[in-house]
Amino acid sequence: MKVIEVTNLHKRYREHVAVDDVSFAVDEGEIFGVLGPNGAGKTTTVECVAGLRVPSSGTIRVGGHDPVHERDAVRRLLGAQLQSAALPEKIKVWEALDLFASFYPDPADWQALLDTVGLSDKRNTTFAKLSGGQRQRLSVALALVGRPRVAVLDELTTGLDPQARRDTWNLIEQVRADGVTIVLVTHFMEEAERLCDRVALISAGRVAALDSPSALIGQVEAAQRVRFRPSAPVDDGLLLAVPEVVEVLRNGEQVTVTGSGDLAPAVTLALAEKHIIPTDLRIEQATLEDVFLALTGRSLT
């Protein structure tokens, strides 16, 4: 069942086109990623979905409702944590949740939500004294307090350290397991690959591709990279003579070999024949970054 349907969405600000003919649909129960670099139109798109901006043209339906003309109905279905959202520095965690709960006729038990997001021991802490990860957890709780069917999470892990980012990923997976459909806006390819069932790659306000991360990666030529430090000098010609190898690059002592097929075993065998050991060996497959670069010629970062 489609819980969100966006068709031919356009959003223009005077001479600037932020969103240019974007279409996608989100299935109930999935984590749907909106992935692209900063300034690609991701946030504007989801703000239109949430009813916070009025589209210049196109149609949007959330649970069958128009976010512009049926705003109250959409608000009952959709909770949002937006990149620009902020709270007063002196408000306490419990006060923020109690306030947001008062906006809904049948809110969730916000004290139970504190447990869900791991902030029970911070209930009396002011917003100003929360860490970055704790603020993001509070944002998730605020997005869920209205018992939404859909949660829009915009750049949720930007600025977090690696451990806080992974803790937040675990929280997102827990929220989905509780039956909430998630629209995740991000420019972190690892985040999208880890969490999303499907992703829309957005570039310059347009959808460059839409599919599961694995399917999109599979569309890119099956290039592989093998990085290593040779135990003795190795000539590029030796490596380029290996049929699976298409390119050899060097960065100081590190050698990067790009190719396809059984690249790593073939390179290792060629080196072994010359009694050279590839130390610090790393094998890298294609990523969403490679997909985006192949489709748009631009980096995600």
Side-chain angles (χ1 to χ4, degrees), residues 224-230 234-236 239-240 245-259:
Q224 302 174 46
R225 286 185 293 272
V226 175
R227 302 181 190 273
F228 62 92
R229 298 180 188 275
V234 58
D235 186 78
D236 286 2
L239 297 170
L240 290 169
V245 174
V246 296
E247 184 180 41
V248 177
L249 298 174
R250 294 178 182 269
N251 182 13
E253 295 181 355
Q254 186 181 68
V255 179
T256 300
V257 178
T258 303

Side-chain angles (χ1 to χ4, degrees), residues 8-10 15 44 88 103 113 131 146 150 176 178 183 195 198 211 224 226 243-244 247 277 284:
N8 305 126
L9 175 64
H10 291 258
E15 300 304 315
T44 300
F103 300 156
L113 271 179
S131 69
V150 181
R176 194 266 287 275
D178 290 337
V183 177
L195 295 175
R198 293 186 302 135
D211 211 325
Q224 302 174 46
V226 175
E244 290 83 357
E247 184 180 41
I277 300 172
E284 301 176 355

Side-chain angles (χ1 to χ4, degrees), residues 178-196:
D178 290 337
V180 180
T181 302
I182 295 174
V183 177
L184 181 67
V185 182
T186 183
H187 66 273
F188 292 121
M189 58 182 176
E190 182 185 1
E191 184 164 282
E193 288 182 41
R194 155 80 183 267
L195 295 175
C196 296

Side-chain angles (χ1 to χ4, degrees), residues 85-107:
L87 291 170
E89 290 194 351
K90 293 184 179 181
I91 195 170
K92 294 179 180 179
V93 168
W94 78 265
E95 291 174 330
L97 281 163
D98 190 51
L99 173 64
F100 274 60
S102 71
F103 300 156
Y104 300 95
D106 182 28

Side-chain angles (χ1 to χ4, degrees), residues 253-285:
E253 295 181 355
Q254 186 181 68
V255 179
T256 300
V257 178
T258 303
S260 59
D262 294 326
L263 180 64
V267 168
T268 302
L269 179 61
L271 293 172
E273 290 175 351
K274 299 295 182 180
H275 306 289
I276 299 173
I277 300 172
T279 62
D280 298 329
L281 182 70
R282 294 176 56 191
I283 302 171
E284 301 176 355
Q285 301 289 343

Side-chain angles (χ1 to χ4, degrees), residues 19-143:
V19 180
D20 187 10
D21 198 31
V22 163
S23 297
F24 61 85
V26 179
D27 294 327
E28 188 158 17
E30 75 174 334
I31 299 178
F32 183 87
V34 181
L35 179 64
N38 293 329
K42 308 185 302 295
T43 294
T44 300
T45 296
V46 298
E47 286 179 344
C48 289
V49 170
L52 299 174
R53 296 190 186 275
V54 178
S56 301
S57 62
T59 61
I60 301 173
R61 294 292 181 270
V62 179
H65 299 287
D66 182 336
V68 175
H69 299 105
E70 300 173 275
R71 183 171 298 179
D72 288 344
V74 169
R75 284 178 176 172
R76 288 192 292 270
L77 293 172
L78 185 147
Q81 174 275 329
L82 298 176
Q83 191 175 4
S84 58
L87 291 170
E89 290 194 351
K90 293 184 179 181
I91 195 170
K92 294 179 180 179
V93 168
W94 78 265
E95 291 174 330
L97 281 163
D98 190 51
L99 173 64
F100 274 60
S102 71
F103 300 156
Y104 300 95
D106 182 28
D109 179 351
W110 59 258
Q111 298 190 63
L113 271 179
L114 281 178
D115 291 332
T116 298
V117 302
L119 287 178
S120 293
D121 61 339
K122 298 293 181 180
R123 58 174 288 136
N124 290 312
T125 303
T126 61
F127 184 73
K129 293 184 178 180
L130 296 176
S131 69
Q134 290 164 350
R135 290 186 181 194
Q136 297 298 55
R137 287 174 170 272
L138 177 57
S139 293
V140 173
L142 295 175

